[in-house]
């Protein structure tokens, strides 16, 4: 077919040319660059102030910050050997948070005042990275550099990521008592009409029973939680039926929205590619029952990891 | 060797995370421009990451960026082909039509070797100024809209259209001169 042939011919062009075009931009004129830089700095300050004013850093329920940006050029690796040495030797990966969502909130509410610098909390040895004021957890950090001023960073993962590790170290969750509520939402993977219908059928369920929260916490933070060797890449209404997105509401009012569960492979996952399978089959069965996920053997993917033996 | 390739070779799932961080936005851009649909583009990004993970090893790409871009483009075009058959339109259809006037097809050049034509296009592009080369590739490889290209390189849209028109004409002349009937 002609179209296919043409796209294949163009598609087979020298890779070095493709890489060059992928990264190519025209540098703005010097004057414009200053304007853009100044505007970006102002945006950071405004958004920081707004984030502060709108309660991003306060101990109360808040909208999760989901509008994040990836930067190919940004070197996001850093080794944090600060804060009483609790991260010594561990590579922490943070991601710069886009502030557009915060600015949008600001426009709606018409609030504007402080800047991000006023949210800087305690530090130890670092003169660049800071905790957020009045927050004990490390989900967000503030960075201050001479060139860029203040910027907000959100935790992504560690080099040896498990919930047993990051719950206490990063999210300041040390036991089930630190969790107030678990909300299970349907997957948003399929937003077609059929998918949305399925989302309505599944509905949103809140769990506040202490025994349920305790068991959920126990499963998530099991040291033996196994990393799976595969990820799911399918979509469709069935994925809505089989998956749940959790909001973990902490006792101090923070909302953690990164944990998800897939009833087909029977494992937890995050959008960044992290996947875990509970070590006990009865835990998977309990989760399926709790979340009203009916197993359908026909849905099992060929790449699904079998339930590990205890 | 690129760290991500090393992680893939070691079957370390950290590779998936780093792939997503480094290339997720780039892949999404390619897929979105071709498919014109957010959900489809997101699924294509997932397919691409999976594709890279499955391809390495045995593949050991010299240029990982180009390798990932190629997989994203192929995944998106495959999906587009399916959608087009279902009468759905997308951004990529216009650039493909523009190419029709300069590239060989079965009716006029059934014997032209595709790989050789690709190589000749590469040689031709290397002889052009970087701006011209990149604008051409952004349009016909990445399927950027004229407006996006103009924004990317701080050109006016009419300048981009003129650059593309002239480059297409010159490329056609070059291919004819090299013995490729178009």
């Amino acid at each position: 077919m002609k179209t296919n042939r043409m796209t294949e011919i163009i598609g087979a062009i020298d890779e070095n040319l493709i890489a060059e075009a992928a990264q190519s931009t025209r540098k703005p004129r010097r004057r414009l660059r200053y304007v853009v830089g100044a505007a970006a700095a102002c945006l950071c300050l405004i958004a920081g102030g707004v984030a502060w004013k709108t309660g991003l850093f306060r101990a109360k329920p808040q909208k999760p910050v989901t509008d994040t940006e990836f930067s190919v050029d940004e070197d996001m690796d850093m080794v944090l050997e600060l804060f009483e040495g609790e991260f010594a030797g561990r590579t922490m990966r943070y991601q710069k948070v886009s502030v557009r969502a915060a600015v949008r909130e600001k426009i709606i509410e018409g609030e504007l005042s402080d800047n991000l610098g006023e949210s800087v909390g305690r530090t130890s040895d670092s003169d660049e990275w800071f905790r957020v004021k009045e927050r004990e957890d490390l989900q967000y950090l503030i960075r201050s550099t001479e060139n860029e001023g203040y910027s907000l960073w959100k935790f992504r993962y560690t080099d040896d990521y498990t919930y047993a590790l990051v719950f206490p170290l990063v999210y300041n969750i040390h036991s089930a008592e630190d969790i107030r509520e678990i909300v299970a939402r349907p997957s948003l993977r399929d937003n077609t009409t059929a998918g949305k219908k399925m989302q309505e059928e599944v509905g949103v369920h809140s769990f506040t029973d202490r025994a349920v929260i305790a068991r959920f916490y126990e499963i998530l933070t099991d040291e033996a939680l196994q990393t799976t060797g595969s990820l799911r890449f399918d979509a469709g209404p069935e994925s809505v039926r089989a998956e749940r997105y959790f909001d973990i509401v902490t006792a101090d009012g923070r909302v953690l929205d990164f944990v998800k569960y897939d009833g087909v492979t029977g494992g937890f996952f995050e959008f960044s590619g992290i996947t875990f399978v509970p070590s006990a089959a009865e835990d998977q069965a309990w989760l399926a029952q709790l979340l009203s996920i009916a197993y359908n053997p026909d849905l099992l993917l060929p790449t699904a990891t079998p339930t590990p033996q205890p | 060797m690129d760290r991500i390739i090393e992680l893939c070779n070691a079957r370390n799932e950290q590779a998936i995370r780093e792939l997503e961080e480094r290339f997720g936005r780039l892949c999404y851009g390619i897929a979105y421009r071709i498919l014109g649909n957010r959900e489809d583009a997101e699924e294509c990004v997932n397919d691409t990451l999976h594709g890279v993970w499955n391809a390495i090893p045995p593949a050991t790409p010299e240029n990982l960026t180009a390798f990932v871009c190629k997989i994203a483009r192929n995944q998106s075009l495959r999906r587009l082909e399916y959608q087009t058959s279902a009468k759905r339109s997308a951004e990529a259809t216009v650039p493909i039509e523009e190419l029709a006037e300069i590239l060989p097809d079965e009716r006029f050049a059934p014997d032209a070797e595709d790989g050789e034509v690709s190589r000749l296009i590469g040689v031709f592009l290397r002889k052009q100024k970087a701006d011209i080369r990149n604008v051409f590739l952004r349009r016909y490889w990445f399927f950027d809209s004229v407006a996006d290209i103009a924004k990317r390189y701080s050109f006016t849209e009419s300048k981009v259209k003129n650059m593309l028109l002239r480059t297409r004409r010159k490329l056609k002349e070059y291919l004819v001169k090299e013995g490729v009937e178009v």
Side-chain angles (χ1 to χ4, degrees):
Chain A
M1 199 176 165
K2 184 173 179 177
T3 300
N4 283 346
R5 190 178 177 197
M6 285 192 299
T7 53
E8 279 173 21
I9 287 173
I10 291 287
I13 286 175
D14 185 347
E15 289 189 349
N16 291 325
L17 294 176
I18 306 307
E20 180 197 40
Q23 290 153 356
S24 66
T25 51
R26 199 180 206 203
K27 286 182 184 170
R29 287 175 191 157
R30 202 173 175 195
R31 194 168 176 181
L32 179 62
R33 196 157 65 228
Y34 286 144
V35 173
V36 170
C42 287
L43 186 65
C44 275
L45 291 175
I46 291 168
V50 169
W52 170 247
K53 277 293 179 188
T54 51
L56 180 62
F57 306 136
R58 292 181 195 162
K60 65 178 184 182
Q62 56 192 261
K63 286 182 185 175
V65 177
T66 54
D67 191 6
T68 55
E69 67 178 21
F70 295 90
S71 171
V72 178
D73 302 318
E74 198 91 49
D75 178 14
M76 290 186 286
D77 263 331
M78 63 179 189
V79 177
L80 285 180
E81 293 189 0
L82 46 156
F83 309 125
E84 292 87 41
E86 57 196 328
F87 290 100
R90 212 181 285 286
T91 301
M92 307 290 293
R93 207 152 240 250
Y94 275 73
Q95 174 183 24
K96 203 173 193 173
V97 175
S98 166
V99 291
R100 279 172 294 176
V103 170
R104 196 160 57 239
E105 284 182 19
K106 172 250 163 186
I107 291 167
I108 292 168
E109 297 182 11
E111 277 188 89
L112 172 63
S113 133
D114 307 333
N115 62 45
L116 201 55
E118 294 188 20
S119 298
V120 168
R122 73 188 171 89
T123 180
S124 58
D125 299 330
S126 173
D127 55 2
E128 190 171 298
W129 291 94
F130 302 91
R131 283 178 189 260
V132 176
K133 202 172 180 178
E134 295 176 18
R135 278 185 72 138
E136 288 304 309
D137 68 310
L138 296 174
Q139 187 182 4
Y140 294 97
L141 289 179
I142 294 172
R143 188 184 192 187
S144 171
T145 61
E146 272 188 25
N147 294 336
E148 291 187 9
Y150 291 105
S151 56
L152 181 64
W153 294 69
K154 184 182 185 184
F155 172 75
R156 292 278 287 174
Y157 53 84
T158 65
D159 51 353
D160 50 354
Y161 188 101
T162 62
Y163 294 125
L165 173 76
V166 302
F167 268 30
L169 282 186
V170 178
Y171 298 107
N172 204 30
I173 296 175
H174 300 270
S175 72
E177 294 304 310
D178 292 327
I179 298 174
R180 183 204 300 166
E181 179 186 8
I182 292 165
V183 181
R185 304 180 185 280
S187 161
L188 301 177
R189 194 190 283 266
D190 182 352
N191 275 326
T192 62
T193 305
K196 283 180 178 168
K197 191 180 171 194
M198 186 65 82
Q199 287 170 22
E200 280 177 22
E201 278 179 30
V202 169
V204 177
H205 301 278
S206 165
F207 303 101
T208 52
D209 183 277
R210 296 314 310 169
V212 168
I213 291 175
R215 177 132 192 213
F216 188 86
Y217 172 82
E218 193 183 325
I219 295 171
L220 267 184
T221 55
D222 183 356
E223 295 277 2
L225 203 67
Q226 296 186 2
T227 304
T228 62
S230 61
L231 293 171
R232 294 184 68 208
F233 289 98
D234 67 330
E238 288 303 334
S239 68
V240 176
R241 191 159 68 96
E243 291 179 0
R244 298 292 183 275
Y245 294 179
F246 294 112
D247 283 347
I248 298 174
V249 184
T250 62
D252 57 6
R254 290 169 292 128
V255 180
L256 311 177
D257 65 344
F258 49 88
V259 180
K260 297 165 179 66
Y261 185 73
D262 172 15
V264 175
T265 50
F268 296 99
F269 69 98
E270 295 182 25
F271 282 150
S272 55
I274 292 162
T275 50
F276 294 120
V277 168
S279 56
E282 57 263 33
D283 288 339
Q284 287 179 304
W286 180 81
L287 283 163
Q289 189 182 8
L290 176 74
L291 302 170
S292 304
I293 298 175
Y295 270 100
N296 179 350
D298 294 337
L299 291 179
L300 282 171
L301 299 174
T303 52
T305 304
T307 305
Q309 296 302 311
Chain B
M1 187 185 289
D2 193 295
R3 172 179 154 80
I4 291 180
I5 297 175
E6 285 176 359
L7 289 170
C8 285
N9 283 333
R11 307 317 288 160
N12 184 335
E13 289 195 358
Q14 179 80 3
I16 300 272
R17 295 171 209 157
E18 298 204 6
L19 275 168
E20 189 189 1
E21 262 199 12
R22 204 157 119 197
F23 299 113
R25 193 177 169 187
L26 180 64
C27 294
Y28 179 85
I30 292 171
Y32 185 81
R33 280 188 295 275
I34 292 174
L35 297 163
N37 175 289
R38 190 174 61 81
E39 284 81 15
D40 288 340
E42 283 171 359
E43 285 173 24
C44 258
V45 172
N46 280 338
D47 291 346
T48 301
L49 301 179
H50 196 203
V52 175
W53 171 256
N54 284 336
I56 307 173
T60 310
E62 280 183 23
N63 190 322
L64 187 60
T65 303
F67 185 79
V68 173
C69 285
K70 271 189 172 182
I71 292 181
R73 183 178 185 271
N74 289 341
Q75 293 280 4
S76 305
L77 286 171
R78 206 170 299 152
R79 193 174 284 252
L80 175 67
E81 195 181 339
Y82 167 77
Q83 290 178 342
T84 307
S85 66
K87 307 291 182 200
R88 290 171 68 179
S89 63
E91 293 292 325
T93 52
V94 176
I96 289 171
E97 284 166 13
E98 288 173 5
L99 280 180
E101 62 184 84
I102 59 162
L103 291 185
D105 71 15
E106 282 78 359
R107 287 171 299 169
F108 300 110
D111 299 327
E113 198 61 52
D114 288 357
E116 177 61 7
V117 178
S118 300
R119 189 190 69 77
L120 286 172
I121 296 173
V123 171
F124 167 81
L125 289 175
R126 282 193 184 285
K127 290 178 181 171
Q128 310 304 311
K129 287 182 184 169
D131 277 354
I132 293 172
R133 181 166 64 232
N134 290 331
V135 164
F136 182 89
L137 287 170
R138 292 301 322 183
R139 180 66 174 156
Y140 301 119
W141 203 97
F142 292 90
F143 300 113
D144 283 7
S145 69
V146 169
D148 285 345
I149 296 170
K151 195 174 166 191
R152 186 181 192 98
Y153 297 110
S154 308
F155 294 148
T156 62
E157 289 189 28
S158 64
K159 178 170 181 174
V160 172
K161 284 179 190 167
N162 274 330
M163 285 170 85
L164 289 168
L165 181 65
R166 282 184 197 159
T167 312
R168 285 202 306 269
R169 282 181 185 160
K170 281 166 76 178
L171 175 58
K172 186 174 181 178
E173 285 170 14
Y174 176 79
L175 290 175
V176 169
K177 191 179 144 201
E178 292 296 324
V180 179
E181 283 189 50
V182 292

